[in-house]
Amino acid sequence: MGSLIKSGGVSGAILSRIATNDQHGENSEYFDGWKAYDKDPFHLSRNPHGIIQMGLAENQLCLDLIKDWIKENPKASVCTPEGVYQFSDIANFQDYHGLKEFRQAIANFMGKARGGRVTFDPERIVMSGGATGANETIMFCLADPGDVFLVPSPYYAAFDRDLRWRTGVEIVPVHCSSSNNFKLTVEAVEWAYKKAVQSNKNVKGLLFTNPSNPLGTILDKDTLKNLVRFVTRNNIHLVVDEIYAATVFAGENFASVAEVVKDLDSSEVNVDLIHIVYSLSKDMGLPGFRVGIVYSYNDSVVSCARKMSSFGLVSSQTQFMLASMLSDDSFVDNFLMESSKRLGIRHGVFTLGLKKADINCLISTAGLFVWMDLRHLLRVRNSFESEIELWHIIIDKVKLNVSPGSSFQCTEPGWFRVCFANMDDDTLHVALRRIQDFVSKNSNKTAEKASDNDKLIQNNNAKKQKWKQSNLRLSFRRLYEDGLSSPGIMSPHSPLLRT
Amino acid sequence: MKQLSTKVTSNGHGQDSSYFLGWEEYEKNPYDEIKNPNGMIQMGLAENQLCFDLIESWLAKNPDAASLKRKGQSIFKELALFQDYHGMPEFKKAMAEFMEEIRGNRVTFDPKKIVLAAGSTSANENLMFCLAEPGDAFLLPTPYYPGFDRDLKWRTVAEIVPIHCSSSNGFQITESARQQAYQQAHKLGLKVKGVLVTNPSNPLGTALTRRELTLLVDFITSKNIHLISDEIYSGTMFGFEQFISVMDVLKDKKLENTEVSKRVHVVYSLSKDLGLPGFRVGAIYSNDDMIVSAATKMSSFGLVSSQTQYLLSALLSDKKFTSQYLEENQKRLKSRQKRLVSGLESAGITCLRSNAGLFCWVDMRHLLDTNTFEAELDLWKKIVYNVKLNISPGSSCHCTEPGWFRVCFANMSEDTLDLALKRLKTFVESTDCGRMISRSSHERLKSLRKKTVSNWVFRVSWSDRVPDER
């Protein structure tokens, strides 16, 4: 999209290309779903037929723990009678190094979120405006306009904005496919790298989210090691966005790139190339507080990112509170354990419910969402048009906001990211019920009869008021009785991916 | 292959300037009344520490806001999850009304045209990203805030072309200086996208007159470019006059809702007026919907923490508090400025007459060995290392005349200010120049005062003069 010329002729007043192009990516379907939700948001009592938000990767499961801690620790706020004696010092504090206690607390939390297998140096902790700010900042530090970063797809939709919009950096996707469960392989990265270099692109690095958004999977340690070796061999950067590090609820331990840096011999890893992006938005469910972190093993990058942090410092009021909260070891230990447990239960309930509707998801052990396989529901197999059509049906008729795979640059139509941690149990039941109803009405129809589909979905809507509790509730209760509430245990009912 | 970006390897962040080096020196040896009485006194940081007690007593009376509650109910969860880049509506409404109050309620601000940012640092950068392509230029009157080199140019790759102002007319912006800057930009092959002024000015501490603002609006109208008015110090006006905003001028000229008004943008922040730089609250105000839209998306990179938005929306919605605060803030700033000015006078040092800001623009030209920037830097080093005062040399603010320094007065206690003045006086008297001055100080001050008064008369009675070159 070209820039719009303002009336008045003379070129001086035209806005920048950045302001007028759509590189911010907000015209994508990803945001359309949110807009539809905003117009008709579900509420259990006030708007029970509204759209249920399943497109927002929020973690609402443990906010009660944080709320209780804040209540019990009034000194952590500079505004309460107990804490106001600190008000002027904190309100005045704008040093871009950040409060020392804050950095120490963050380093402490990051280490614990990784099971204590690594420690982080508070001196390398640099603030940013959420992970959004952190990712943009790291791009500004590592790449010039026109440079390329390889990013495995499917990837977080807003990377198009965060990595590219104002930086001028290009993303070249490394496409992953369902044939191997969307696993990122060194071979795929190598192939994409060679291809980019052959097309005269200046590849500056590789960036990926681990645990993955939207897949919810974690990268195995061996592959991570090999990727670190790969970037070192080719002298390109590795940025790992570990924003979901503490959302692991089952399976193997999460291996942070920090662990790999520690384990590998210095001949195998050039630490100047390794950078981590972090945030408290997902692990703690505090996106409103805008806590983003850039952590780099490269001193020049730390120094530069720190200067750039002036553009997105964490409010000192927030730094102060979190410094106190995250240095409370017993709180942090309990929080991490409880969070993992609740996510595991939620994931189990949801995937079991989906299985009842013959819907499978990619096996995942982390994240706040599942990667749902609806390829069999596409009107025309392998068609993105059909994916968007199906997506509109899900929003408009089933009344769920989910995110179509194409908005994540997935190359295979029919996959959807569906969030499960941003609502209460009752809402989750309603969502599952709606999905089950939709699928059961749909299952007898052939793919070509699209118009008949529509009629059925309309009928289905009319019956929604009578959602029966019995089947689903029983399963839910059984899950608890079966001991699925223990943390770290892979649900025995997790559906295998249909290949 | 070059490993890092050019932004890392260049020094576009501007932090090698003396402005920032002085801060570093202060960090190594900071003054403390009890613990380090011989340490360096920080006079290079434009903070407003004079009115925290007012905010603290408000907090004591407003426990709901203080503890993340609304009508006694915890809204913690709501705040924890609130990341809408449109910002909290009640916060933007409160900001708009606060900005109106500062301008005597003569103009209105529509909350929907406010875009929040993480401090005016972020607001200014976002606005640049919206208005300028890499290589485009903005004209800025000198001297200007040293941080602009970073905020406006570093990551945006925009350029600043100075509009040179001089002491001959109290550093006012003249027609010829403006035109010269515009032509200079063209000579350098740069496309001029607009003018940016800080009003009241940092580092001068003076507010632009209605006349100056009118001429600026005329200028940008004729050139079809933008005008950014950074009004971050609008609430620090303590002189006899009211603060005149560029919005006042648009209203007076009946330019509201015109194409021109879409090219006039205001930047604001709570860092100076309320003394809350740590909370990172900045804002862009624009009449151009496309800019509001683009800047709103960009604000994702630096949103204001929701707990801070909530606290401040409660604070600023309390009209009784805001009117008392603004009045008291003014009073205290005025008294503090007077203290600095008279203390300097007794050391034979004058300042540009100021009516706003948290600092004075101090004339130390007579203390220079030679009329050069090298001499200014030498003097600065003596003041930093020997006198142990961190003040900001004019060269770091791109001043074209050596010998001017910005000295802050609102970021310390009265006692500390007195001590700083004592040290300075001792230093001045120890220099040759100082000795000369103290001998003829009476005569000199008399003539200086006359000159100062006539400068002052010059500024306010502008409208009576023939509108030619100032």
Side-chain angles (χ1 to χ4, degrees), chain A residues 25-26 28-42 51-58 132 156-158 161 213 244 282 287 391-392 395 400-404 407-408 417 419 422, chain B residues 81 83-86 300:
Chain A
E26 286 193 27
S28 104
E29 289 83 11
Y30 189 59
F31 296 95
D32 279 355
W34 290 15
K35 290 168 193 162
Y37 165 78
D38 282 338
K39 289 188 193 141
D40 181 21
F42 172 85
I51 296 181
I52 297 177
Q53 175 64 284
M54 304 190 89
L56 196 48
E58 279 177 349
T132 302
Y156 167 52
R161 174 196 63 193
N213 174 11
Y244 291 98
K282 310 296 177 181
W391 176 69
H392 278 123
I395 291 185
L400 305 176
N401 179 34
V402 300
S403 311
S407 64
F408 298 93
R417 189 192 77 172
C419 301
N422 62 313
Chain B
L81 297 171
Q83 57 173 330
D84 182 354
Y85 60 25
H86 292 99
S300 297

Short mmCIF file of all heavy atoms in Angstrom, two decimals, chain A residues 25-26 28-42 51-58 132 156-158 161 213 244 282 287 391-392 395 400-404 407-408 417 419 422, chain B residues 81 83-86 300:
data_model
loop_
_atom_site.label_atom_id
_atom_site.label_comp_id
_atom_site.label_asym_id
_atom_site.label_seq_id
_atom_site.Cartn_x
_atom_site.Cartn_y
_atom_site.Cartn_z
N GLY A 25 0.35 -4.41 10.31
CA GLY A 25 -0.32 -5.72 10.24
C GLY A 25 -1.70 -5.77 10.84
O GLY A 25 -2.28 -6.84 10.98
N GLU A 26 -2.26 -4.61 11.19
CA GLU A 26 -3.53 -4.68 11.91
C GLU A 26 -4.72 -4.85 11.01
O GLU A 26 -5.86 -4.83 11.47
CB GLU A 26 -3.68 -3.46 12.80
CG GLU A 26 -2.77 -3.62 13.99
CD GLU A 26 -3.05 -2.65 15.09
OE1 GLU A 26 -4.21 -2.21 15.20
OE2 GLU A 26 -2.11 -2.32 15.84
N SER A 28 -5.01 -7.54 9.43
CA SER A 28 -5.13 -9.00 9.28
C SER A 28 -6.35 -9.52 10.04
O SER A 28 -6.86 -8.88 10.93
CB SER A 28 -3.86 -9.69 9.78
OG SER A 28 -4.08 -10.29 11.04
N GLU A 29 -6.75 -10.71 9.66
CA GLU A 29 -7.94 -11.34 10.26
C GLU A 29 -7.77 -11.48 11.77
O GLU A 29 -8.74 -11.51 12.50
CB GLU A 29 -8.15 -12.74 9.68
CG GLU A 29 -8.63 -12.75 8.25
CD GLU A 29 -7.49 -12.59 7.25
OE1 GLU A 29 -6.31 -12.68 7.66
OE2 GLU A 29 -7.79 -12.38 6.08
N TYR A 30 -6.54 -11.64 12.18
CA TYR A 30 -6.23 -11.78 13.61
C TYR A 30 -6.97 -10.74 14.44
O TYR A 30 -7.50 -11.01 15.50
CB TYR A 30 -4.72 -11.62 13.77
CG TYR A 30 -4.14 -11.93 15.14
CD1 TYR A 30 -4.28 -13.18 15.70
CD2 TYR A 30 -3.42 -10.98 15.83
CE1 TYR A 30 -3.72 -13.48 16.94
CE2 TYR A 30 -2.85 -11.26 17.05
CZ TYR A 30 -3.00 -12.51 17.61
OH TYR A 30 -2.44 -12.79 18.83
N PHE A 31 -7.00 -9.53 13.93
CA PHE A 31 -7.62 -8.45 14.68
C PHE A 31 -9.10 -8.30 14.38
O PHE A 31 -9.84 -7.78 15.19
CB PHE A 31 -6.88 -7.14 14.41
CG PHE A 31 -5.45 -7.18 14.91
CD1 PHE A 31 -4.41 -7.53 14.06
CD2 PHE A 31 -5.16 -6.92 16.24
CE1 PHE A 31 -3.10 -7.60 14.53
CE2 PHE A 31 -3.84 -6.98 16.70
CZ PHE A 31 -2.83 -7.33 15.84
N ASP A 32 -9.52 -8.79 13.22
CA ASP A 32 -10.96 -8.73 12.91
C ASP A 32 -11.78 -9.50 13.93
O ASP A 32 -12.87 -9.08 14.31
CB ASP A 32 -11.23 -9.33 11.51
CG ASP A 32 -10.93 -8.32 10.41
OD1 ASP A 32 -10.61 -7.16 10.75
OD2 ASP A 32 -11.00 -8.70 9.22
N GLY A 33 -11.23 -10.62 14.34
CA GLY A 33 -11.94 -11.44 15.32
C GLY A 33 -12.11 -10.68 16.62
O GLY A 33 -13.16 -10.71 17.27
N TRP A 34 -11.05 -9.95 17.01
CA TRP A 34 -11.13 -9.16 18.25
C TRP A 34 -12.21 -8.09 18.12
O TRP A 34 -12.96 -7.82 19.05
CB TRP A 34 -9.80 -8.45 18.51
CG TRP A 34 -8.69 -9.35 18.90
CD1 TRP A 34 -8.63 -10.72 18.79
CD2 TRP A 34 -7.45 -8.97 19.48
NE1 TRP A 34 -7.44 -11.18 19.25
CE2 TRP A 34 -6.68 -10.14 19.68
CE3 TRP A 34 -6.90 -7.74 19.83
CZ2 TRP A 34 -5.40 -10.13 20.22
CZ3 TRP A 34 -5.63 -7.71 20.38
CH2 TRP A 34 -4.89 -8.90 20.58
N LYS A 35 -12.26 -7.50 16.94
CA LYS A 35 -13.25 -6.43 16.74
C LYS A 35 -14.66 -6.99 16.84
O LYS A 35 -15.54 -6.39 17.45
CB LYS A 35 -13.03 -5.75 15.38
CG LYS A 35 -11.76 -4.91 15.33
CD LYS A 35 -11.40 -4.48 13.91
CE LYS A 35 -9.97 -3.91 13.88
NZ LYS A 35 -9.40 -3.88 12.53
N ALA A 36 -14.88 -8.16 16.25
CA ALA A 36 -16.20 -8.80 16.34
C ALA A 36 -16.54 -9.10 17.79
O ALA A 36 -17.67 -8.89 18.24
CB ALA A 36 -16.23 -10.08 15.50
N TYR A 37 -15.54 -9.56 18.52
CA TYR A 37 -15.75 -9.86 19.93
C TYR A 37 -16.11 -8.59 20.70
O TYR A 37 -17.02 -8.57 21.52
CB TYR A 37 -14.49 -10.49 20.53
CG TYR A 37 -14.49 -10.49 22.04
CD1 TYR A 37 -15.23 -11.42 22.77
CD2 TYR A 37 -13.77 -9.52 22.75
CE1 TYR A 37 -15.26 -11.40 24.15
CE2 TYR A 37 -13.78 -9.50 24.13
CZ TYR A 37 -14.52 -10.43 24.83
OH TYR A 37 -14.54 -10.40 26.20
N ASP A 38 -15.40 -7.50 20.41
CA ASP A 38 -15.65 -6.24 21.13
C ASP A 38 -17.09 -5.78 20.96
O ASP A 38 -17.65 -5.15 21.84
CB ASP A 38 -14.70 -5.14 20.64
CG ASP A 38 -13.31 -5.29 21.24
OD1 ASP A 38 -13.20 -5.95 22.31
OD2 ASP A 38 -12.34 -4.78 20.66
N LYS A 39 -17.66 -6.10 19.80
CA LYS A 39 -19.04 -5.65 19.55
C LYS A 39 -20.06 -6.50 20.30
O LYS A 39 -21.17 -6.07 20.56
CB LYS A 39 -19.35 -5.73 18.04
CG LYS A 39 -18.65 -4.68 17.21
CD LYS A 39 -19.15 -4.69 15.75
CE LYS A 39 -18.21 -3.87 14.88
NZ LYS A 39 -18.01 -4.49 13.56
N ASP A 40 -19.69 -7.75 20.60
CA ASP A 40 -20.68 -8.67 21.18
C ASP A 40 -19.99 -9.63 22.16
O ASP A 40 -19.93 -10.83 21.95
CB ASP A 40 -21.35 -9.45 20.03
CG ASP A 40 -22.44 -10.43 20.52
OD1 ASP A 40 -22.95 -10.23 21.65
OD2 ASP A 40 -22.76 -11.38 19.79
N PRO A 41 -19.44 -9.08 23.25
CA PRO A 41 -18.64 -9.93 24.13
C PRO A 41 -19.50 -10.83 25.03
O PRO A 41 -20.50 -10.38 25.59
CB PRO A 41 -17.86 -8.92 24.98
CG PRO A 41 -18.66 -7.66 24.93
CD PRO A 41 -19.51 -7.69 23.71
N PHE A 42 -19.10 -12.06 25.16
CA PHE A 42 -19.82 -13.03 25.99
C PHE A 42 -19.75 -12.63 27.47
O PHE A 42 -18.75 -12.14 27.96
CB PHE A 42 -19.17 -14.41 25.81
CG PHE A 42 -19.69 -15.47 26.75
CD1 PHE A 42 -20.83 -16.18 26.45
CD2 PHE A 42 -19.02 -15.75 27.95
CE1 PHE A 42 -21.31 -17.16 27.31
CE2 PHE A 42 -19.48 -16.72 28.82
CZ PHE A 42 -20.63 -17.43 28.50
N ILE A 51 -20.03 -13.54 21.87
CA ILE A 51 -18.86 -14.24 21.34
C ILE A 51 -17.87 -14.49 22.49
O ILE A 51 -17.58 -13.58 23.27
CB ILE A 51 -18.18 -13.41 20.23
CG1 ILE A 51 -19.14 -13.26 19.06
CG2 ILE A 51 -16.87 -14.07 19.79
CD1 ILE A 51 -18.56 -12.47 17.89
N ILE A 52 -17.41 -15.73 22.58
CA ILE A 52 -16.42 -16.06 23.61
C ILE A 52 -15.03 -15.80 23.03
O ILE A 52 -14.70 -16.25 21.93
CB ILE A 52 -16.55 -17.53 24.06
CG1 ILE A 52 -17.92 -17.76 24.71
CG2 ILE A 52 -15.44 -17.90 25.04
CD1 ILE A 52 -18.18 -19.19 25.12
N GLN A 53 -14.24 -15.08 23.79
CA GLN A 53 -12.91 -14.70 23.35
C GLN A 53 -11.94 -15.85 23.55
O GLN A 53 -11.62 -16.23 24.68
CB GLN A 53 -12.44 -13.48 24.16
CG GLN A 53 -11.01 -13.04 23.89
CD GLN A 53 -10.80 -12.55 22.47
OE1 GLN A 53 -10.71 -13.35 21.54
NE2 GLN A 53 -10.68 -11.26 22.31
N MET A 54 -11.51 -16.45 22.45
CA MET A 54 -10.52 -17.50 22.55
C MET A 54 -9.32 -17.17 21.66
O MET A 54 -8.54 -18.05 21.29
CB MET A 54 -11.14 -18.85 22.15
CG MET A 54 -12.37 -19.19 22.99
SD MET A 54 -12.96 -20.87 22.76
CE MET A 54 -12.01 -21.73 24.01
N GLY A 55 -9.21 -15.87 21.34
CA GLY A 55 -8.13 -15.43 20.48
C GLY A 55 -7.07 -14.66 21.24
O GLY A 55 -6.08 -14.19 20.67
N LEU A 56 -7.28 -14.53 22.55
CA LEU A 56 -6.37 -13.71 23.34
C LEU A 56 -5.58 -14.59 24.30
O LEU A 56 -6.14 -15.22 25.20
CB LEU A 56 -7.20 -12.70 24.14
CG LEU A 56 -6.48 -11.51 24.73
CD1 LEU A 56 -5.59 -10.83 23.72
CD2 LEU A 56 -7.50 -10.53 25.28
N ALA A 57 -4.28 -14.63 24.06
CA ALA A 57 -3.43 -15.50 24.87
C ALA A 57 -3.11 -14.84 26.20
O ALA A 57 -2.00 -14.37 26.44
CB ALA A 57 -2.14 -15.83 24.11
N GLU A 58 -4.10 -14.82 27.06
CA GLU A 58 -3.91 -14.28 28.40
C GLU A 58 -3.89 -15.42 29.39
O GLU A 58 -4.50 -16.45 29.16
CB GLU A 58 -5.10 -13.38 28.78
CG GLU A 58 -5.05 -11.99 28.24
CD GLU A 58 -6.32 -11.23 28.62
OE1 GLU A 58 -7.29 -11.84 29.11
OE2 GLU A 58 -6.32 -10.01 28.40
N THR A 132 6.72 -6.77 23.32
CA THR A 132 6.54 -6.00 22.08
C THR A 132 7.71 -5.05 21.91
O THR A 132 8.38 -5.01 20.87
CB THR A 132 5.22 -5.21 22.16
OG1 THR A 132 4.15 -6.14 22.36
CG2 THR A 132 4.97 -4.41 20.90
N TYR A 156 3.89 -15.99 15.90
CA TYR A 156 3.04 -14.97 16.53
C TYR A 156 2.73 -13.88 15.51
O TYR A 156 3.64 -13.25 14.95
CB TYR A 156 3.78 -14.42 17.74
CG TYR A 156 3.26 -13.16 18.38
CD1 TYR A 156 1.94 -13.03 18.77
CD2 TYR A 156 4.13 -12.12 18.66
CE1 TYR A 156 1.49 -11.88 19.41
CE2 TYR A 156 3.70 -10.97 19.30
CZ TYR A 156 2.37 -10.86 19.66
OH TYR A 156 1.94 -9.72 20.30
N ALA A 157 1.44 -13.63 15.28
CA ALA A 157 1.03 -12.74 14.20
C ALA A 157 1.63 -11.35 14.31
O ALA A 157 1.96 -10.72 13.31
CB ALA A 157 -0.50 -12.65 14.16
N ALA A 158 1.75 -10.84 15.52
CA ALA A 158 2.22 -9.47 15.67
C ALA A 158 3.73 -9.30 15.46
O ALA A 158 4.23 -8.18 15.49
CB ALA A 158 1.84 -8.93 17.05
N ARG A 161 4.57 -6.78 12.91
CA ARG A 161 4.66 -5.41 13.38
C ARG A 161 5.91 -5.21 14.23
O ARG A 161 6.72 -4.32 13.98
CB ARG A 161 3.42 -5.06 14.21
CG ARG A 161 3.48 -3.69 14.87
CD ARG A 161 2.43 -3.55 15.96
NE ARG A 161 2.65 -4.50 17.04
CZ ARG A 161 1.77 -4.77 18.00
NH1 ARG A 161 0.59 -4.19 17.98
NH2 ARG A 161 2.03 -5.64 18.94
N ASN A 213 4.55 -20.02 20.31
CA ASN A 213 3.25 -19.45 20.04
C ASN A 213 3.17 -19.47 18.52
O ASN A 213 4.01 -18.86 17.87
CB ASN A 213 3.17 -18.02 20.60
CG ASN A 213 1.88 -17.32 20.22
OD1 ASN A 213 0.94 -17.94 19.72
ND2 ASN A 213 1.82 -16.04 20.47
N TYR A 244 6.85 -17.55 27.19
CA TYR A 244 5.98 -18.59 27.75
C TYR A 244 6.74 -19.59 28.63
O TYR A 244 6.23 -20.68 28.91
CB TYR A 244 5.25 -19.33 26.62
CG TYR A 244 4.23 -18.48 25.90
CD1 TYR A 244 4.54 -17.86 24.68
CD2 TYR A 244 2.95 -18.28 26.43
CE1 TYR A 244 3.62 -17.05 24.04
CE2 TYR A 244 2.02 -17.48 25.77
CZ TYR A 244 2.36 -16.88 24.58
OH TYR A 244 1.44 -16.08 23.94
N LYS A 282 2.73 -13.26 30.20
CA LYS A 282 2.10 -14.58 30.05
C LYS A 282 2.32 -15.43 31.29
O LYS A 282 1.39 -16.00 31.84
CB LYS A 282 2.68 -15.32 28.83
CG LYS A 282 2.69 -14.48 27.57
CD LYS A 282 1.29 -14.10 27.10
CE LYS A 282 1.38 -13.20 25.88
NZ LYS A 282 0.05 -12.79 25.40
N PRO A 287 -0.14 -8.50 31.59
CA PRO A 287 0.18 -7.72 30.40
C PRO A 287 -0.04 -6.22 30.60
O PRO A 287 0.62 -5.41 29.96
CB PRO A 287 -0.81 -8.26 29.34
CG PRO A 287 -1.94 -8.86 30.12
CD PRO A 287 -1.31 -9.39 31.38
N TRP A 391 -13.51 -19.97 9.46
CA TRP A 391 -13.25 -19.05 10.57
C TRP A 391 -14.42 -18.10 10.78
O TRP A 391 -14.85 -17.86 11.91
CB TRP A 391 -11.97 -18.28 10.29
CG TRP A 391 -11.63 -17.25 11.30
CD1 TRP A 391 -11.23 -17.44 12.59
CD2 TRP A 391 -11.67 -15.84 11.11
NE1 TRP A 391 -11.00 -16.24 13.22
CE2 TRP A 391 -11.26 -15.24 12.33
CE3 TRP A 391 -12.01 -15.02 10.04
CZ2 TRP A 391 -11.20 -13.85 12.49
CZ3 TRP A 391 -11.93 -13.64 10.21
CH2 TRP A 391 -11.53 -13.08 11.43
N HIS A 392 -14.97 -17.57 9.67
CA HIS A 392 -16.12 -16.68 9.81
C HIS A 392 -17.31 -17.39 10.40
O HIS A 392 -18.08 -16.82 11.18
CB HIS A 392 -16.48 -16.05 8.46
CG HIS A 392 -15.62 -14.87 8.14
ND1 HIS A 392 -14.87 -14.77 6.99
CD2 HIS A 392 -15.39 -13.72 8.83
CE1 HIS A 392 -14.21 -13.61 7.00
NE2 HIS A 392 -14.50 -12.96 8.11
N ILE A 395 -16.76 -17.66 14.11
CA ILE A 395 -17.02 -16.40 14.82
C ILE A 395 -18.50 -16.07 14.80
O ILE A 395 -19.11 -15.77 15.83
CB ILE A 395 -16.25 -15.23 14.18
CG1 ILE A 395 -14.75 -15.39 14.41
CG2 ILE A 395 -16.70 -13.90 14.79
CD1 ILE A 395 -13.94 -14.22 13.91
N LEU A 400 -17.36 -18.02 18.62
CA LEU A 400 -16.09 -18.11 19.33
C LEU A 400 -15.07 -17.31 18.52
O LEU A 400 -15.00 -17.47 17.31
CB LEU A 400 -15.59 -19.56 19.41
CG LEU A 400 -16.50 -20.61 20.01
CD1 LEU A 400 -15.84 -21.99 19.87
CD2 LEU A 400 -16.77 -20.31 21.48
N ASN A 401 -14.28 -16.47 19.19
CA ASN A 401 -13.19 -15.84 18.47
C ASN A 401 -11.96 -16.72 18.59
O ASN A 401 -11.40 -16.87 19.69
CB ASN A 401 -12.86 -14.45 19.01
CG ASN A 401 -11.69 -13.84 18.24
OD1 ASN A 401 -11.51 -14.07 17.05
ND2 ASN A 401 -10.85 -13.08 18.92
N VAL A 402 -11.58 -17.35 17.49
CA VAL A 402 -10.35 -18.15 17.45
C VAL A 402 -9.46 -17.53 16.38
O VAL A 402 -9.89 -16.66 15.65
CB VAL A 402 -10.64 -19.63 17.12
CG1 VAL A 402 -11.56 -20.24 18.17
CG2 VAL A 402 -11.27 -19.74 15.74
N SER A 403 -8.21 -17.96 16.31
CA SER A 403 -7.29 -17.33 15.36
C SER A 403 -6.90 -18.28 14.24
O SER A 403 -6.36 -19.36 14.51
CB SER A 403 -6.03 -16.86 16.09
OG SER A 403 -6.37 -16.13 17.23
N PRO A 404 -7.19 -17.91 13.01
CA PRO A 404 -6.89 -18.82 11.89
C PRO A 404 -5.39 -18.95 11.67
O PRO A 404 -4.65 -17.98 11.82
CB PRO A 404 -7.55 -18.12 10.70
CG PRO A 404 -7.60 -16.68 11.07
CD PRO A 404 -7.72 -16.62 12.56
N SER A 407 -3.16 -16.42 9.80
CA SER A 407 -2.69 -15.18 10.42
C SER A 407 -1.35 -15.39 11.11
O SER A 407 -0.68 -14.45 11.48
CB SER A 407 -3.72 -14.62 11.41
OG SER A 407 -3.91 -15.50 12.49
N PHE A 408 -0.95 -16.65 11.27
CA PHE A 408 0.36 -16.97 11.83
C PHE A 408 1.33 -17.40 10.74
O PHE A 408 2.36 -18.00 11.02
CB PHE A 408 0.24 -18.11 12.85
CG PHE A 408 -0.62 -17.79 14.04
CD1 PHE A 408 -1.96 -18.11 14.04
CD2 PHE A 408 -0.09 -17.17 15.17
CE1 PHE A 408 -2.78 -17.81 15.13
CE2 PHE A 408 -0.89 -16.87 16.27
CZ PHE A 408 -2.24 -17.19 16.25
N ARG A 417 -5.51 -21.47 16.23
CA ARG A 417 -5.03 -21.35 17.61
C ARG A 417 -6.21 -20.97 18.49
O ARG A 417 -6.94 -20.02 18.16
CB ARG A 417 -3.94 -20.28 17.74
CG ARG A 417 -3.28 -20.29 19.11
CD ARG A 417 -2.43 -19.07 19.36
NE ARG A 417 -3.25 -17.90 19.68
CZ ARG A 417 -2.80 -16.74 20.09
NH1 ARG A 417 -1.50 -16.57 20.25
NH2 ARG A 417 -3.61 -15.74 20.35
N CYS A 419 -7.30 -20.24 22.48
CA CYS A 419 -6.80 -19.97 23.83
C CYS A 419 -7.75 -20.51 24.88
O CYS A 419 -8.96 -20.45 24.72
CB CYS A 419 -6.61 -18.46 24.02
SG CYS A 419 -5.45 -17.77 22.84
N ASN A 422 -7.80 -17.80 29.38
CA ASN A 422 -8.23 -16.41 29.59
C ASN A 422 -9.71 -16.34 29.98
O ASN A 422 -10.38 -15.37 29.70
CB ASN A 422 -8.01 -15.60 28.32
CG ASN A 422 -8.81 -16.11 27.15
OD1 ASN A 422 -8.84 -17.31 26.89
ND2 ASN A 422 -9.49 -15.22 26.43
N LEU B 81 -4.82 -7.12 33.43
CA LEU B 81 -5.06 -7.59 32.08
C LEU B 81 -5.20 -6.47 31.07
O LEU B 81 -5.24 -6.70 29.87
CB LEU B 81 -6.32 -8.46 32.04
CG LEU B 81 -6.25 -9.73 32.87
CD1 LEU B 81 -7.61 -10.41 32.96
CD2 LEU B 81 -5.22 -10.70 32.28
N GLN B 83 -4.36 -4.03 28.55
CA GLN B 83 -3.23 -3.65 27.71
C GLN B 83 -3.69 -3.00 26.41
O GLN B 83 -2.97 -2.98 25.42
CB GLN B 83 -2.36 -4.88 27.39
CG GLN B 83 -3.12 -6.00 26.71
CD GLN B 83 -2.19 -7.13 26.25
OE1 GLN B 83 -1.03 -6.91 25.93
NE2 GLN B 83 -2.71 -8.35 26.21
N ASP B 84 -4.89 -2.48 26.42
CA ASP B 84 -5.45 -1.82 25.24
C ASP B 84 -4.65 -0.58 24.91
O ASP B 84 -4.55 0.33 25.75
CB ASP B 84 -6.92 -1.46 25.53
CG ASP B 84 -7.62 -0.81 24.34
OD1 ASP B 84 -6.95 -0.54 23.32
OD2 ASP B 84 -8.83 -0.59 24.45
N TYR B 85 -4.12 -0.53 23.72
CA TYR B 85 -3.27 0.60 23.37
C TYR B 85 -4.04 1.91 23.22
O TYR B 85 -3.42 2.96 23.08
CB TYR B 85 -2.37 0.32 22.17
CG TYR B 85 -3.04 -0.02 20.85
CD1 TYR B 85 -4.33 0.39 20.52
CD2 TYR B 85 -2.32 -0.75 19.90
CE1 TYR B 85 -4.88 0.08 19.30
CE2 TYR B 85 -2.86 -1.06 18.67
CZ TYR B 85 -4.15 -0.66 18.37
OH TYR B 85 -4.68 -0.97 17.15
N HIS B 86 -5.35 1.86 23.30
CA HIS B 86 -6.11 3.11 23.30
C HIS B 86 -6.00 3.80 24.65
O HIS B 86 -6.32 4.97 24.79
CB HIS B 86 -7.58 2.86 22.97
CG HIS B 86 -7.79 2.41 21.56
ND1 HIS B 86 -7.96 1.10 21.21
CD2 HIS B 86 -7.82 3.11 20.40
CE1 HIS B 86 -8.09 1.00 19.90
NE2 HIS B 86 -8.01 2.19 19.37
N SER B 300 2.11 0.71 21.30
CA SER B 300 2.33 -0.67 21.77
C SER B 300 3.75 -0.88 22.25
O SER B 300 4.01 -1.73 23.09
CB SER B 300 2.10 -1.68 20.64
OG SER B 300 0.78 -1.63 20.21
#
